[in-house]
Amino acid sequence: MKILLVDDHELFREGIKLLLANLAEDVVFAEAPSCAAALAHPSGSPLDVILLDFHLPGTQGFEALRALRAHFEQPAIVVLSAEENPALIVQAIDEGAAGFIPKTSSHAVMMAALRLVLAGGTYLPPHALLGAASPTTTTQQPGDPLAELTPRQVETLRLAMQGKANKVIAREMDVSEATVKAHLSASFRALGVRNRTEAVFTAARLGLKI
């Protein structure tokens, strides 16, 4: 597994390498102190994950995320930042990030988040979902689209809000991955959304608790 660390602080990069050394067998790290340096990464050296600091010298923030997403087709890009604004986190996911990990996260949370991303899931910190919820929609009302879902569909959506991959949800619910996908598809239709990310944020705004 190869991980590209894009952060302008060498000490932080060294710390991340120590923390993630046991993420998988044969983890190899590449490093870049800027977005420009990351974009110069050799094309013949494929990457699995890019860990991107949000504040870099030169190109930074969403501009850096867009540039890396356009340049690298395969690796998952995970923003690792001191920012914790729910609206900013939502936009990062919308811009193509596979996850957003606050730098205040524990080692265990970081490892779990990256394992989820590697399994094909999307990681969002719980407070981002809570921040997306509207205080005026904390309980179901008549006509609430959540009321159209079966208990199993609601449970599937709740587990998706926790950032769990379909494989993990299937195991916890003792169903097939195909059933999980069917439950999520039903949720998308009921909520009027197009994908998993929109679904979890819409469900949070409607008051579904994680």
Side-chain angles (χ1 to χ4, degrees):
M1 177 185 296
K2 191 160 189 177
I3 300 174
L4 175 61
L5 305 176
V6 187
D7 193 292
D8 59 323
H9 292 96
E10 182 179 0
L11 187 61
F12 184 77
R13 296 198 305 267
E14 291 300 320
I16 289 295
K17 287 193 288 185
L18 288 174
L19 287 174
L20 302 183
N22 295 322
L23 181 62
E25 293 184 8
D26 301 322
V27 179
V28 177
F29 294 98
E31 301 178 50
S34 66
C35 179
L39 293 172
H41 181 79
S43 58
S45 181
L47 299 166
D48 296 290
V49 178
I50 298 174
L51 287 180
L52 173 66
D53 181 28
F54 207 68
H55 297 292
L56 295 167
T59 304
Q60 62 174 298
F62 295 116
E63 186 179 358
L65 176 57
R66 295 185 197 110
L68 292 174
R69 185 70 286 164
H71 185 76
F72 295 101
E73 295 183 1
Q74 297 301 323
I77 301 177
V78 177
V79 176
L80 187 60
S81 175
E83 295 281 357
E84 297 197 27
N85 184 330
L88 185 148
I89 294 172
V90 173
Q91 185 175 349
I93 300 300
D94 289 342
E95 295 280 0
F100 194 108
I101 306 175
K103 285 188 174 181
T104 54
S105 301
S106 67
H107 177 213
V109 167
M110 187 177 298
M111 293 286 278
L114 289 175
R115 289 193 174 108
L116 171 65
V117 168
L118 290 168
T122 301
Y123 177 77
L124 302 97
H127 80 271
L129 292 177
L130 295 173
S134 167
T136 62
T137 56
T138 55
T139 59
Q140 290 190 6
Q141 301 294 330
D144 186 340
L146 291 175
E148 300 177 16
L149 301 177
T150 68
R152 296 291 276 178
Q153 290 167 348
V154 170
E155 183 61 20
T156 302
L157 184 56
R158 193 191 314 278
L159 292 171
M161 290 173 68
Q162 295 173 14
K164 294 180 178 178
N166 288 356
K167 182 185 300 183
V168 176
I169 295 174
R171 185 169 61 247
E172 291 192 8
M173 296 184 64
D174 195 24
V175 297
S176 68
E177 285 191 61
T179 298
V180 171
K181 291 178 181 178
H183 286 338
L184 289 176
S185 293
S187 299
F188 296 171
R189 289 192 297 271
L191 297 173
V193 299
R194 297 165 297 175
N195 54 50
R196 184 186 181 109
T197 302
E198 290 180 0
V200 297
F201 279 102
T202 300
R205 291 188 184 99
L206 290 170
L208 184 61
K209 304 299 183 183
I210 59 175

